């Protein structure tokens, strides 16, 4: 029913209006009038031509009479004087010139009158045609505007329906992710037997509801996307450190010294931590495996903590610069002269350093963590981050 009504409304909007038909009829009558005027002027010109021809016949007859008179004068030259003949000839010539002058004057006046009538008629017709064209163009513009408004309304309706379907689909998956996460969270609360480990697990499980809800809100309310992105960046930084804390809790049950002792048993697989200007001072020798393991663990924690600091700060800086449309000496956010470019560089370096610390720690204790398979869990965490990042693009 909706499609049939839309087709009928589109047909009715595309049907030519009554006023357009009236204007076309008016143009037809104007063309007929022009044809009639042209026929009238042609008839007038024909009659004038006939009149001129008659006058020429008269002139010819007069010329024949003059010639006859000349013959008569020559025939009776003995009885008529030359002065009389010359007087008659001059009278005839003057009469002929006056007749010719009168005919030329009459013809010129008639021609001028016809030109004036033709110019007035042509000007009037031009004005009428221009007015009709303007009226037709106005009606055509009205029809175009009606059609465009109808098409725009239809497109807006389709767009609204599509957006509503997208909101429904995204909301469904958001609700599903929240329900699954809540089911796991409540399961941990019901079996809360290892608090030092399960607290970290609960913090990681909250990532899915927070990211899904903020992503759905960003899709529904695009004007608040920047503020919601800051929340996601803050929680991402928190989760990266919580993941390292989770590994430490699993290995040492909350005791850092136990983790150090475990790392000390793998001292042959541990690379000494990087030191500032270490290449200038030579290689540092660690006295015991425990000192080496403690230094490596501290370095991994520092690498993770620097991401917790830099990620929120760079996120706030990017949001502020984009909100204020501040690009420094550049023209856009991708220019190397803009602060956004260097903030992204800092973000990438910070992510690389944090991942290096986590991978270094995982490489040392992967055999001890094989039972809980932390690497797929870490991929799931980063998968959520990357999915929401590409959704924002």
């Amino acid at each position: 029913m909706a499609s049939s009504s839309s087709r009928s409304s589109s047909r009715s909007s595309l049907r030519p209006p009554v006023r357009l038909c009236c204007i076309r009829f008016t143009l037809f009558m104007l063309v007929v009038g022009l044809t009639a005027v042209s026929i009238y002027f042609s008839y007038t010109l024909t009659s004038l031509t006939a009149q001129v021809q008659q006058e020429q016949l008269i002139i010819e007859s007069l010329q024949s009479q003059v010639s006859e008179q000349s013959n008569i004068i020559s025939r009776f030259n003995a009885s008529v004087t030359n002065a009389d003949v010359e007087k008659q000839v001059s009278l005839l010539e003057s009469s002929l010139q006056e007749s010719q002058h009168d005919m030329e004057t009459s013809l010129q006046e008639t021609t001028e009158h016809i030109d004036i009538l033709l110019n007035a008629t042509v000007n009037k017709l031009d004005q009428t045609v221009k007015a009709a064209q303007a009226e037709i163009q106005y009606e055509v513009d009205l029809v175009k505007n009606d059609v465009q408004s109808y098409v725009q309304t239809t497109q807006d309706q389709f767009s609204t329906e599509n957006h509503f379907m997208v909101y429904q689909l995204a909301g469904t998956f958001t609700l599903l992710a929240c329900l699954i996460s809540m089911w796991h969270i409540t399961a941990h609360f019901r079996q809360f037997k290892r608090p030092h480990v399960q607290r970290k697990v609960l913090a990681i499980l909250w990532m899915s509801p927070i990211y899904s809800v903020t992503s759905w809100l960003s899709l529904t309310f695009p004007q608040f996307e920047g503020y919601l992105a800051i929340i996601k960046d803050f929680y991402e930084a928190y989760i990266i450190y919580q993941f390292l804390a989770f590994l430490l809790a699993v290995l040492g049950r909350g005791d850092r010294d136990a983790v150090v002792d475990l790392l000390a048993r793998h001292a042959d697989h541990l690379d000494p931590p990087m030191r500032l200007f270490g290449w200038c001072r030579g290689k540092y020798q660690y006295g015991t495996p425990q000192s080496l393991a403690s230094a490596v663990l501290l370095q991994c924690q520092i690498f993770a903590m620097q991401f917790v600091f830099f990620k929120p700060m760079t996120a706030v800086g990017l949001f502020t610069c984009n909100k204020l449309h501040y690009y420094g000496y550049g023209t856009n956010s991708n220019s190397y002269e803009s602060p956004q470019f260097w903030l992204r560089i800092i973000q990438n370096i910070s992510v690389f350093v944090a991942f290096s610390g986590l991978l270094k720690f995982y490489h040392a204790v992967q055999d001890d963590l094989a039972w809980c398979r932390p690497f797929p869990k870490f991929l799931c965490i980063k998968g959520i981050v990357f999915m929401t990042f590409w959704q924002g693009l």
Side-chain angles (χ1 to χ4, degrees):
M1 291 298 289
S3 61
S4 63
S5 63
S6 63
R7 293 193 194 102
S8 63
S9 62
S10 63
R11 290 173 183 169
S12 64
S13 63
L14 294 175
R15 188 177 302 160
V18 178
R19 294 183 63 186
L20 188 59
C21 295
C22 294
I23 293 171
R24 290 178 180 172
F25 180 75
T26 304
L27 286 176
F28 176 74
M29 294 303 295
L30 289 174
V31 171
V32 172
L34 282 174
T35 305
V37 171
S38 300
I39 293 172
Y40 171 73
F41 286 139
S42 298
Y43 176 75
T44 305
L45 288 174
T46 303
S47 63
L48 289 174
T49 304
Q51 185 178 357
V52 170
Q53 290 176 356
Q54 290 178 359
E55 297 290 337
Q56 288 178 354
L57 290 175
I58 293 171
I59 292 172
E60 290 176 358
S61 65
L62 291 174
Q63 288 177 353
S64 66
Q65 290 178 5
V66 169
S67 63
E68 289 176 359
Q69 293 293 332
S70 298
N71 292 329
I72 292 171
I73 291 170
S74 62
R75 188 182 299 171
F76 298 101
N77 195 15
S79 60
V80 180
T81 62
N82 291 330
D84 294 334
V85 173
E86 290 177 358
K87 184 178 180 180
Q88 286 290 358
V89 170
S90 64
L91 289 173
L92 289 174
E93 288 180 353
S94 62
S95 177
L96 180 62
Q97 290 177 357
E98 288 178 359
S99 299
Q100 188 175 2
H101 178 70
D102 293 338
M103 290 178 62
E104 289 177 355
T105 303
S106 177
L107 182 61
Q108 185 177 1
E109 290 177 354
T110 305
T111 304
E112 290 177 355
H113 182 65
I114 291 173
D115 290 338
I116 291 171
L117 289 177
L118 282 174
N119 291 330
T121 305
V122 169
N123 292 331
K124 187 176 181 180
L125 287 175
D126 288 340
Q127 293 176 359
T128 305
V129 170
K130 288 180 180 179
Q133 288 178 348
E135 188 69 20
I136 292 172
Q137 187 64 35
Y138 176 73
E139 295 292 339
V140 171
D141 292 339
L142 285 178
V143 173
K144 285 183 178 180
N145 291 332
D146 292 339
V147 173
Q148 289 178 356
S149 62
Y150 174 74
V151 171
Q152 186 64 36
T153 303
T154 305
Q155 290 178 351
D156 291 340
Q157 290 177 354
F158 287 153
S159 178
T160 302
E161 292 177 359
N162 292 334
H163 288 172
F164 185 71
M165 291 177 61
V166 170
Y167 297 154
Q168 281 187 331
L169 185 62
T172 301
F173 282 105
T174 299
L175 182 60
L176 184 62
C178 292
L179 290 176
I180 295 174
S181 299
M182 290 301 172
W183 182 76
H184 285 288
I185 290 171
T186 54
H188 277 282
F189 276 123
R190 287 193 301 269
Q191 302 292 330
F192 203 67
K193 297 178 180 179
R194 300 178 64 184
H196 55 280
V197 176
Q198 287 178 295
R199 280 197 296 267
K200 312 301 187 296
V201 175
L202 291 173
I204 296 173
L205 288 175
W206 273 108
M207 183 180 185
S208 181
I210 291 174
Y211 265 65
S212 60
V213 171
T214 53
S215 298
W216 184 78
L217 291 176
S218 299
L219 182 65
T220 309
F221 306 103
Q223 63 272 22
F224 301 115
E225 181 183 1
Y227 302 98
L228 296 170
I230 291 177
I231 297 175
K232 290 190 290 187
D233 291 336
F234 270 74
Y235 204 78
E236 178 189 359
Y238 174 70
I239 286 302
I240 293 299
Y241 185 76
Q242 282 297 319
F243 187 77
L244 179 61
F246 164 73
L247 299 181
L248 295 176
V250 169
L251 293 174
R253 300 178 180 274
D255 186 5
R256 186 178 185 279
D257 294 335
V259 178
V260 171
D261 293 337
L262 182 62
L263 287 174
R265 292 200 294 269
H266 303 283
D268 52 340
H269 297 293
L270 295 178
D271 293 328
M274 293 183 296
R275 301 173 61 211
L276 188 62
F277 303 111
W279 58 85
C280 298
R281 296 183 296 176
K283 188 175 181 180
Y284 182 79
Q285 298 294 331
Y286 292 91
T288 61
Q290 282 77 10
S291 61
L292 175 61
S294 179
V296 170
L297 179 58
L298 180 62
Q299 184 192 42
C300 294
Q301 290 176 320
I302 291 174
F303 281 3
M305 282 300 299
Q306 61 83 27
F307 181 74
V308 176
F309 174 76
F310 282 112
K311 180 65 175 180
M313 295 300 103
T314 53
V316 172
L318 283 172
F319 172 74
T320 303
C321 292
N322 291 330
K323 192 72 174 177
L324 298 177
H325 300 287
Y326 177 74
Y327 306 116
Y329 295 101
T331 56
N332 53 51
S333 60
N334 296 323
S335 175
Y336 71 94
E337 295 179 339
S338 64
Q340 289 91 327
F341 178 82
W342 298 105
L343 288 174
R344 292 192 187 99
I345 295 294
I346 294 173
Q347 277 188 349
N348 292 328
I349 294 175
S350 178
V351 170
F352 174 76
V353 172
F355 283 3
S356 299
L358 289 175
L359 289 175
K360 185 175 183 178
F361 181 77
Y362 176 74
H363 178 70
V365 295
Q366 59 180 347
D367 295 333
D368 300 294
L369 294 173
W371 63 274
C372 65
R373 294 184 298 176
F375 191 70
K377 295 179 175 62
F378 180 74
L379 291 181
C380 290
I381 294 173
K382 296 309 295 180
I384 294 174
V385 175
F386 281 120
M387 288 298 179
T388 53
F389 171 74
W390 287 111
Q391 175 185 334
L393 293 180

PDB file of all heavy atoms in Angstrom, residues 188-210:
ATOM      1  N   HIS A 188      31.977 -14.948  37.971  1.00  0.00           N
ATOM      2  CA  HIS A 188      33.152 -14.730  38.824  1.00  0.00           C
ATOM      3  C   HIS A 188      32.740 -14.281  40.221  1.00  0.00           C
ATOM      4  O   HIS A 188      33.375 -14.666  41.214  1.00  0.00           O
ATOM      5  CB  HIS A 188      34.066 -13.667  38.173  1.00  0.00           C
ATOM      6  CG  HIS A 188      34.976 -14.228  37.128  1.00  0.00           C
ATOM      7  ND1 HIS A 188      36.125 -14.926  37.423  1.00  0.00           N
ATOM      8  CD2 HIS A 188      34.890 -14.197  35.769  1.00  0.00           C
ATOM      9  CE1 HIS A 188      36.734 -15.282  36.303  1.00  0.00           C
ATOM     10  NE2 HIS A 188      35.995 -14.856  35.281  1.00  0.00           N
ATOM     11  N   PHE A 189      31.712 -13.455  40.328  1.00  0.00           N
ATOM     12  CA  PHE A 189      31.266 -13.038  41.658  1.00  0.00           C
ATOM     13  C   PHE A 189      30.726 -14.218  42.469  1.00  0.00           C
ATOM     14  O   PHE A 189      30.906 -14.276  43.693  1.00  0.00           O
ATOM     15  CB  PHE A 189      30.181 -11.954  41.531  1.00  0.00           C
ATOM     16  CG  PHE A 189      30.742 -10.573  41.348  1.00  0.00           C
ATOM     17  CD1 PHE A 189      30.394  -9.799  40.245  1.00  0.00           C
ATOM     18  CD2 PHE A 189      31.636 -10.035  42.273  1.00  0.00           C
ATOM     19  CE1 PHE A 189      30.911  -8.531  40.064  1.00  0.00           C
ATOM     20  CE2 PHE A 189      32.151  -8.756  42.102  1.00  0.00           C
ATOM     21  CZ  PHE A 189      31.802  -8.008  40.998  1.00  0.00           C
ATOM     22  N   ARG A 190      30.077 -15.142  41.780  1.00  0.00           N
ATOM     23  CA  ARG A 190      29.557 -16.308  42.504  1.00  0.00           C
ATOM     24  C   ARG A 190      30.681 -17.223  42.975  1.00  0.00           C
ATOM     25  O   ARG A 190      30.540 -17.901  44.003  1.00  0.00           O
ATOM     26  CB  ARG A 190      28.594 -17.088  41.600  1.00  0.00           C
ATOM     27  CG  ARG A 190      27.249 -16.397  41.395  1.00  0.00           C
ATOM     28  CD  ARG A 190      26.237 -17.356  40.766  1.00  0.00           C
ATOM     29  NE  ARG A 190      26.683 -17.864  39.478  1.00  0.00           N
ATOM     30  CZ  ARG A 190      26.409 -17.303  38.306  1.00  0.00           C
ATOM     31  NH1 ARG A 190      25.691 -16.189  38.266  1.00  0.00           N
ATOM     32  NH2 ARG A 190      26.852 -17.831  37.189  1.00  0.00           N
ATOM     33  N   GLN A 191      31.784 -17.266  42.232  1.00  0.00           N
ATOM     34  CA  GLN A 191      32.927 -18.101  42.605  1.00  0.00           C
ATOM     35  C   GLN A 191      34.145 -17.215  42.871  1.00  0.00           C
ATOM     36  O   GLN A 191      35.207 -17.390  42.278  1.00  0.00           O
ATOM     37  CB  GLN A 191      33.217 -19.099  41.473  1.00  0.00           C
ATOM     38  CG  GLN A 191      32.076 -20.004  41.099  1.00  0.00           C
ATOM     39  CD  GLN A 191      31.754 -20.998  42.211  1.00  0.00           C
ATOM     40  OE1 GLN A 191      32.640 -21.408  42.979  1.00  0.00           O
ATOM     41  NE2 GLN A 191      30.491 -21.387  42.318  1.00  0.00           N
ATOM     42  N   PHE A 192      33.978 -16.269  43.779  1.00  0.00           N
ATOM     43  CA  PHE A 192      35.032 -15.298  44.059  1.00  0.00           C
ATOM     44  C   PHE A 192      36.019 -15.885  45.081  1.00  0.00           C
ATOM     45  O   PHE A 192      36.043 -15.506  46.252  1.00  0.00           O
ATOM     46  CB  PHE A 192      34.409 -14.009  44.590  1.00  0.00           C
ATOM     47  CG  PHE A 192      35.288 -12.807  44.382  1.00  0.00           C
ATOM     48  CD1 PHE A 192      35.561 -12.341  43.117  1.00  0.00           C
ATOM     49  CD2 PHE A 192      35.836 -12.136  45.463  1.00  0.00           C
ATOM     50  CE1 PHE A 192      36.354 -11.224  42.927  1.00  0.00           C
ATOM     51  CE2 PHE A 192      36.634 -11.032  45.282  1.00  0.00           C
ATOM     52  CZ  PHE A 192      36.898 -10.568  44.004  1.00  0.00           C
ATOM     53  N   LYS A 193      36.854 -16.853  44.603  1.00  0.00           N
ATOM     54  CA  LYS A 193      37.748 -17.580  45.494  1.00  0.00           C
ATOM     55  C   LYS A 193      39.197 -17.105  45.382  1.00  0.00           C
ATOM     56  O   LYS A 193      40.000 -17.384  46.283  1.00  0.00           O
ATOM     57  CB  LYS A 193      37.687 -19.073  45.173  1.00  0.00           C
ATOM     58  CG  LYS A 193      36.295 -19.669  45.407  1.00  0.00           C
ATOM     59  CD  LYS A 193      36.251 -21.143  45.043  1.00  0.00           C
ATOM     60  CE  LYS A 193      34.858 -21.722  45.275  1.00  0.00           C
ATOM     61  NZ  LYS A 193      34.772 -23.151  44.904  1.00  0.00           N
ATOM     62  N   ARG A 194      39.559 -16.458  44.293  1.00  0.00           N
ATOM     63  CA  ARG A 194      40.921 -15.956  44.129  1.00  0.00           C
ATOM     64  C   ARG A 194      40.839 -14.446  43.815  1.00  0.00           C
ATOM     65  O   ARG A 194      40.944 -14.024  42.674  1.00  0.00           O
ATOM     66  CB  ARG A 194      41.636 -16.690  42.994  1.00  0.00           C
ATOM     67  CG  ARG A 194      41.736 -18.188  43.225  1.00  0.00           C
ATOM     68  CD  ARG A 194      42.411 -18.897  42.073  1.00  0.00           C
ATOM     69  NE  ARG A 194      43.796 -18.479  41.916  1.00  0.00           N
ATOM     70  CZ  ARG A 194      44.599 -18.894  40.938  1.00  0.00           C
ATOM     71  NH1 ARG A 194      44.118 -19.728  40.013  1.00  0.00           N
ATOM     72  NH2 ARG A 194      45.837 -18.480  40.855  1.00  0.00           N
ATOM     73  N   PRO A 195      40.630 -13.634  44.827  1.00  0.00           N
ATOM     74  CA  PRO A 195      40.388 -12.193  44.589  1.00  0.00           C
ATOM     75  C   PRO A 195      41.531 -11.495  43.872  1.00  0.00           C
ATOM     76  O   PRO A 195      41.302 -10.605  43.038  1.00  0.00           O
ATOM     77  CB  PRO A 195      40.190 -11.629  45.993  1.00  0.00           C
ATOM     78  CG  PRO A 195      39.904 -12.805  46.861  1.00  0.00           C
ATOM     79  CD  PRO A 195      40.583 -13.978  46.254  1.00  0.00           C
ATOM     80  N   HIS A 196      42.797 -11.864  44.193  1.00  0.00           N
ATOM     81  CA  HIS A 196      43.924 -11.170  43.608  1.00  0.00           C
ATOM     82  C   HIS A 196      43.995 -11.381  42.085  1.00  0.00           C
ATOM     83  O   HIS A 196      44.561 -10.552  41.368  1.00  0.00           O
ATOM     84  CB  HIS A 196      45.221 -11.650  44.259  1.00  0.00           C
ATOM     85  CG  HIS A 196      45.403 -13.132  44.199  1.00  0.00           C
ATOM     86  ND1 HIS A 196      44.768 -14.006  45.074  1.00  0.00           N
ATOM     87  CD2 HIS A 196      46.144 -13.902  43.361  1.00  0.00           C
ATOM     88  CE1 HIS A 196      45.115 -15.253  44.782  1.00  0.00           C
ATOM     89  NE2 HIS A 196      45.949 -15.217  43.736  1.00  0.00           N
ATOM     90  N   VAL A 197      43.427 -12.477  41.575  1.00  0.00           N
ATOM     91  CA  VAL A 197      43.387 -12.738  40.134  1.00  0.00           C
ATOM     92  C   VAL A 197      42.054 -12.281  39.530  1.00  0.00           C
ATOM     93  O   VAL A 197      42.009 -11.646  38.478  1.00  0.00           O
ATOM     94  CB  VAL A 197      43.632 -14.230  39.844  1.00  0.00           C
ATOM     95  CG1 VAL A 197      43.491 -14.515  38.340  1.00  0.00           C
ATOM     96  CG2 VAL A 197      45.006 -14.659  40.333  1.00  0.00           C
ATOM     97  N   GLN A 198      40.969 -12.584  40.241  1.00  0.00           N
ATOM     98  CA  GLN A 198      39.645 -12.324  39.662  1.00  0.00           C
ATOM     99  C   GLN A 198      39.330 -10.826  39.583  1.00  0.00           C
ATOM    100  O   GLN A 198      38.541 -10.403  38.734  1.00  0.00           O
ATOM    101  CB  GLN A 198      38.577 -13.050  40.474  1.00  0.00           C
ATOM    102  CG  GLN A 198      38.607 -14.565  40.245  1.00  0.00           C
ATOM    103  CD  GLN A 198      37.575 -15.281  41.091  1.00  0.00           C
ATOM    104  OE1 GLN A 198      37.674 -15.282  42.328  1.00  0.00           O
ATOM    105  NE2 GLN A 198      36.589 -15.870  40.428  1.00  0.00           N
ATOM    106  N   ARG A 199      39.939 -10.023  40.444  1.00  0.00           N
ATOM    107  CA  ARG A 199      39.727  -8.584  40.313  1.00  0.00           C
ATOM    108  C   ARG A 199      40.265  -8.077  38.980  1.00  0.00           C
ATOM    109  O   ARG A 199      39.657  -7.212  38.322  1.00  0.00           O
ATOM    110  CB  ARG A 199      40.396  -7.850  41.485  1.00  0.00           C
ATOM    111  CG  ARG A 199      39.578  -7.880  42.761  1.00  0.00           C
ATOM    112  CD  ARG A 199      40.071  -6.819  43.734  1.00  0.00           C
ATOM    113  NE  ARG A 199      41.442  -7.083  44.158  1.00  0.00           N
ATOM    114  CZ  ARG A 199      41.768  -7.770  45.264  1.00  0.00           C
ATOM    115  NH1 ARG A 199      40.810  -8.256  46.049  1.00  0.00           N
ATOM    116  NH2 ARG A 199      43.026  -7.960  45.591  1.00  0.00           N
ATOM    117  N   LYS A 200      41.419  -8.596  38.567  1.00  0.00           N
ATOM    118  CA  LYS A 200      41.977  -8.211  37.268  1.00  0.00           C
ATOM    119  C   LYS A 200      41.108  -8.716  36.122  1.00  0.00           C
ATOM    120  O   LYS A 200      40.874  -8.007  35.122  1.00  0.00           O
ATOM    121  CB  LYS A 200      43.394  -8.771  37.114  1.00  0.00           C
ATOM    122  CG  LYS A 200      44.341  -8.554  38.290  1.00  0.00           C
ATOM    123  CD  LYS A 200      44.549  -7.117  38.611  1.00  0.00           C
ATOM    124  CE  LYS A 200      45.630  -6.927  39.681  1.00  0.00           C
ATOM    125  NZ  LYS A 200      45.284  -7.517  41.001  1.00  0.00           N
ATOM    126  N   VAL A 201      40.586  -9.936  36.279  1.00  0.00           N
ATOM    127  CA  VAL A 201      39.720 -10.503  35.243  1.00  0.00           C
ATOM    128  C   VAL A 201      38.444  -9.683  35.099  1.00  0.00           C
ATOM    129  O   VAL A 201      37.972  -9.407  33.994  1.00  0.00           O
ATOM    130  CB  VAL A 201      39.399 -11.974  35.570  1.00  0.00           C
ATOM    131  CG1 VAL A 201      38.394 -12.531  34.572  1.00  0.00           C
ATOM    132  CG2 VAL A 201      40.670 -12.814  35.555  1.00  0.00           C
ATOM    133  N   LEU A 202      37.869  -9.268  36.238  1.00  0.00           N
ATOM    134  CA  LEU A 202      36.649  -8.460  36.188  1.00  0.00           C
ATOM    135  C   LEU A 202      36.907  -7.110  35.506  1.00  0.00           C
ATOM    136  O   LEU A 202      36.068  -6.624  34.736  1.00  0.00           O
ATOM    137  CB  LEU A 202      36.113  -8.240  37.600  1.00  0.00           C
ATOM    138  CG  LEU A 202      35.543  -9.483  38.305  1.00  0.00           C
ATOM    139  CD1 LEU A 202      35.193  -9.169  39.749  1.00  0.00           C
ATOM    140  CD2 LEU A 202      34.313  -9.983  37.561  1.00  0.00           C
ATOM    141  N   ALA A 203      38.076  -6.500  35.784  1.00  0.00           N
ATOM    142  CA  ALA A 203      38.405  -5.232  35.122  1.00  0.00           C
ATOM    143  C   ALA A 203      38.521  -5.416  33.613  1.00  0.00           C
ATOM    144  O   ALA A 203      38.095  -4.550  32.829  1.00  0.00           O
ATOM    145  CB  ALA A 203      39.699  -4.663  35.690  1.00  0.00           C
ATOM    146  N   ILE A 204      39.103  -6.557  33.194  1.00  0.00           N
ATOM    147  CA  ILE A 204      39.221  -6.820  31.752  1.00  0.00           C
ATOM    148  C   ILE A 204      37.851  -7.118  31.139  1.00  0.00           C
ATOM    149  O   ILE A 204      37.545  -6.681  30.023  1.00  0.00           O
ATOM    150  CB  ILE A 204      40.207  -7.985  31.514  1.00  0.00           C
ATOM    151  CG1 ILE A 204      41.616  -7.585  31.974  1.00  0.00           C
ATOM    152  CG2 ILE A 204      40.220  -8.390  30.056  1.00  0.00           C
ATOM    153  CD1 ILE A 204      42.621  -8.703  31.934  1.00  0.00           C
ATOM    154  N   LEU A 205      36.985  -7.847  31.868  1.00  0.00           N
ATOM    155  CA  LEU A 205      35.665  -8.170  31.333  1.00  0.00           C
ATOM    156  C   LEU A 205      34.784  -6.932  31.169  1.00  0.00           C
ATOM    157  O   LEU A 205      33.881  -6.917  30.327  1.00  0.00           O
ATOM    158  CB  LEU A 205      34.964  -9.175  32.261  1.00  0.00           C
ATOM    159  CG  LEU A 205      35.502 -10.601  32.238  1.00  0.00           C
ATOM    160  CD1 LEU A 205      34.790 -11.452  33.281  1.00  0.00           C
ATOM    161  CD2 LEU A 205      35.315 -11.208  30.847  1.00  0.00           C
ATOM    162  N   TRP A 206      35.028  -5.912  31.983  1.00  0.00           N
ATOM    163  CA  TRP A 206      34.231  -4.681  31.838  1.00  0.00           C
ATOM    164  C   TRP A 206      34.561  -3.933  30.553  1.00  0.00           C
ATOM    165  O   TRP A 206      33.845  -2.999  30.173  1.00  0.00           O
ATOM    166  CB  TRP A 206      34.471  -3.750  33.029  1.00  0.00           C
ATOM    167  CG  TRP A 206      33.566  -4.036  34.182  1.00  0.00           C
ATOM    168  CD1 TRP A 206      33.878  -4.602  35.366  1.00  0.00           C
ATOM    169  CD2 TRP A 206      32.162  -3.744  34.236  1.00  0.00           C
ATOM    170  NE1 TRP A 206      32.782  -4.702  36.178  1.00  0.00           N
ATOM    171  CE2 TRP A 206      31.704  -4.173  35.504  1.00  0.00           C
ATOM    172  CE3 TRP A 206      31.253  -3.170  33.354  1.00  0.00           C
ATOM    173  CZ2 TRP A 206      30.384  -4.053  35.904  1.00  0.00           C
ATOM    174  CZ3 TRP A 206      29.932  -3.052  33.746  1.00  0.00           C
ATOM    175  CH2 TRP A 206      29.501  -3.485  35.002  1.00  0.00           C
ATOM    176  N   MET A 207      35.642  -4.338  29.874  1.00  0.00           N
ATOM    177  CA  MET A 207      36.034  -3.625  28.650  1.00  0.00           C
ATOM    178  C   MET A 207      34.984  -3.782  27.555  1.00  0.00           C
ATOM    179  O   MET A 207      34.662  -2.820  26.835  1.00  0.00           O
ATOM    180  CB  MET A 207      37.385  -4.151  28.163  1.00  0.00           C
ATOM    181  CG  MET A 207      37.900  -3.415  26.937  1.00  0.00           C
ATOM    182  SD  MET A 207      39.489  -4.064  26.412  1.00  0.00           S
ATOM    183  CE  MET A 207      39.883  -2.930  25.087  1.00  0.00           C
ATOM    184  N   SER A 208      34.430  -4.977  27.406  1.00  0.00           N
ATOM    185  CA  SER A 208      33.448  -5.211  26.343  1.00  0.00           C
ATOM    186  C   SER A 208      32.188  -4.370  26.519  1.00  0.00           C
ATOM    187  O   SER A 208      31.749  -3.711  25.559  1.00  0.00           O
ATOM    188  CB  SER A 208      33.103  -6.702  26.268  1.00  0.00           C
ATOM    189  OG  SER A 208      32.177  -6.954  25.247  1.00  0.00           O
ATOM    190  N   PRO A 209      31.540  -4.315  27.695  1.00  0.00           N
ATOM    191  CA  PRO A 209      30.362  -3.437  27.825  1.00  0.00           C
ATOM    192  C   PRO A 209      30.694  -1.954  27.634  1.00  0.00           C
ATOM    193  O   PRO A 209      29.929  -1.227  26.984  1.00  0.00           O
ATOM    194  CB  PRO A 209      29.876  -3.714  29.261  1.00  0.00           C
ATOM    195  CG  PRO A 209      30.429  -5.025  29.616  1.00  0.00           C
ATOM    196  CD  PRO A 209      31.725  -5.145  28.900  1.00  0.00           C
ATOM    197  N   ILE A 210      31.841  -1.516  28.180  1.00  0.00           N
ATOM    198  CA  ILE A 210      32.179  -0.096  28.056  1.00  0.00           C
ATOM    199  C   ILE A 210      32.414   0.276  26.596  1.00  0.00           C
ATOM    200  O   ILE A 210      31.891   1.281  26.093  1.00  0.00           O
ATOM    201  CB  ILE A 210      33.410   0.233  28.921  1.00  0.00           C
ATOM    202  CG1 ILE A 210      33.043   0.137  30.412  1.00  0.00           C
ATOM    203  CG2 ILE A 210      33.948   1.621  28.597  1.00  0.00           C
ATOM    204  CD1 ILE A 210      34.217   0.311  31.342  1.00  0.00           C
TER     205      ILE A 210
END
